[in-house]
Amino acid sequence: MTILVTGATGNVGRHVVDLLVRAGVDVRATSRNPESLDLPAEVDVRRADLTDPKTFEQALQGVEKIFLYAQPSGIEGVVEVAKAAGVKYAVLLSSMAAAGRDPDHWIARWHRAVEDSIEQSGLAWTFVRPGPFAVNSLQWAPSIRDHQPVRILYAHSYLSAIHELDIAEVSTCALLQDGHAGARYHITGGDSVTQAEQVALIGQAIGRELAFEDVTGDDARAELRERFGPRIQVLIQTGVLDPMATPEIIETRIRYYVEALEGPAEIDGTVEKVLGKPARTFAEWAVDHKADFTKRSVS
Ligand SMILES: NC(=O)c1ccc[n+]([C@@H]2O[C@H](COP(=O)([O-])OP(=O)(O)OC[C@H]3O[C@@H](n4cnc5c(N)ncnc54)[C@H](OP(=O)(O)O)[C@@H]3O)[C@@H](O)[C@H]2O)c1
């Protein structure tokens, strides 16, 4: 059986490749820049872009299952190419937002557009819907490496951030075992901690007490505009987002942080149900990523 992994350079996709190789599966991996991939020698690497479905025509020949990143622009073409090539099953890296209480939010619409296309395609599928990734905390790594205080938006808001390896393990189970077709797996990390506590746990992992600044209100709005601006522009240009929605995106995010101050964040048991072991905690993630907070990457 050959399984194709898109997003093989991604935090989750890279682990999916390794887990499948370890399971003895024939793995094909795609990237828009395959020369940047550093994968086990037995992996068959191809260049492909989800926004350009014909780039998957060759890559999908002989493939039975696919691990997909969510890219609404091109998804209908990608599922057509997949079906024509004989693919039977797709595991999609979606988002908890797809089932969220804010169905018009752009992140919900982005992922639901892809889920809808897959559901209507006739392929069998599993939708893996994680909450916030623990790896988002790497945004703090430059400040921590530079011994500067970490700027945290709403530092006392709670998250149950999920380790990328748990997402990859759940996805790999769905690819390799029977019984996951039609499942929408809402998955979270193993504990609820505030962002300030996350910084403290990173400090414990690297053996240094870390300072932070709590950024709220208009300062947080300004930082969000800077952070989301380029992605919002892409969404407006591709028609996914109405330009009038931009201020609402920022306000929705602020509301999310403010509500999360109440805590604790929800901890879901799905990872344990699927894997037979509890989801990893943030402290475990911090230990696994010690090097990211202590070493400078060579560019
Ligand atoms: N961060 C969160 O809190 C969160 C929460 C819920 C869900 N999610 C979902 O998880 C995704 C991020 O996962 P991650 O952290 O593993 O990703 P990542 O490390 O940011 O990497 C993104 C991957 O997507 C691939 N990709 C992007 N555009 C592509 C295209 N047009 N065609 C083919 N591949 C493309 C990239 O591949 P190449 O560059 O090699 O082509 C790369 O491997 C988000 O996009 C979202 O859908 C994230």
Side-chain angles (χ1 to χ4, degrees):
M1 172 176 60
T2 301
I3 297 181
L4 184 140
V5 179
T6 67
T9 55
N11 296 306
V12 178
R14 183 66 180 81
H15 283 302
V16 173
V17 168
D18 283 344
L19 291 165
L20 290 173
V21 167
R22 249 180 269 150
V25 172
D26 182 13
V27 182
R28 205 169 285 170
T30 62
S31 168
R32 289 165 299 174
N33 304 297
E35 52 289 338
S36 69
L37 281 170
D38 178 21
L39 296 179
E42 57 268 55
V43 177
D44 176 4
V45 175
R46 307 287 179 94
R47 181 187 306 276
D49 184 334
L50 288 164
T51 63
D52 186 2
K54 66 179 184 317
T55 59
F56 277 90
E57 282 171 2
Q58 287 301 317
L60 282 169
Q61 291 306 317
V63 168
E64 197 172 309
K65 299 181 182 181
I66 180 167
F67 175 73
L68 260 183
Y69 270 66
Q71 173 50 256
S73 167
I75 183 61
E76 292 192 355
V78 169
V79 292
E80 280 315 311
V81 168
K83 280 185 354 187
V87 174
K88 301 279 180 270
Y89 203 105
V91 172
L92 174 70
L93 175 56
S94 184
S95 166
M96 193 178 278
R101 60 194 163 80
D102 197 354
D104 289 331
H105 191 270
W106 68 271
I107 296 179
R109 288 170 53 183
W110 179 281
H111 291 91
R112 262 206 336 276
V114 180
E115 290 190 356
D116 289 349
S117 292
I118 294 173
E119 226 175 325
Q120 288 156 18
S121 71
L123 292 172
W125 50 265
T126 304
F127 298 152
V128 177
R129 291 173 161 178
F133 288 10
V135 78
N136 296 344
S137 302
L138 290 182
Q139 66 184 300
W140 301 324
S143 307
I144 293 173
R145 287 194 301 255
D146 288 346
H147 292 247
Q148 296 298 317
V150 178
R151 286 174 63 78
I152 313 178
L153 305 194
Y154 291 86
H156 302 289
S157 57
Y158 286 83
L159 292 177
S160 50
I162 185 161
H163 196 308
E164 61 278 9
L165 190 50
D166 281 329
I167 307 170
E169 287 182 355
V170 168
S171 303
T172 304
C173 262
L175 287 165
L176 295 181
Q177 298 173 355
D178 291 336
H180 300 283
R184 295 174 170 86
Y185 287 138
H186 172 116
I187 53 175
T188 70
D191 58 354
S192 163
V193 293
T194 67
Q195 297 191 83
E197 287 165 345
Q198 287 187 341
V199 169
L201 289 165
I202 293 167
Q204 278 175 30
I206 64 173
R208 175 151 64 85
E209 202 169 313
L210 302 176
F212 70 90
E213 285 171 27
D214 187 10
V215 181
T216 60
D218 286 343
D219 291 342
R221 285 184 179 84
E223 218 154 287
L224 286 171
R225 273 194 291 274
E226 196 175 315
R227 191 187 299 173
F228 288 166
R231 286 169 71 196
I232 289 173
Q233 284 313 313
V234 171
L235 290 169
I236 290 171
Q237 282 156 16
T238 52
V240 172
L241 198 67
D242 181 337
M244 303 303 286
T246 308
E248 182 50 24
I249 288 173
I250 306 294
E251 288 314 310
T252 305
R253 192 68 174 189
I254 296 280
R255 268 202 307 279
Y256 163 85
Y257 282 129
V258 170
E259 287 171 17
L261 292 171
E262 298 298 318
E266 180 205 354
I267 299 168
D268 185 276
T270 303
V271 168
E272 185 157 13
K273 230 182 292 165
V274 174
L275 301 180
K277 59 179 182 176
R280 292 170 173 85
T281 61
F282 190 85
E284 289 173 277
W285 180 89
V287 169
D288 289 346
H289 284 269
K290 263 186 338 194
D292 292 314
F293 295 100
T294 50
K295 284 186 193 150
R296 284 180 185 282
S297 50
V298 181
S299 54

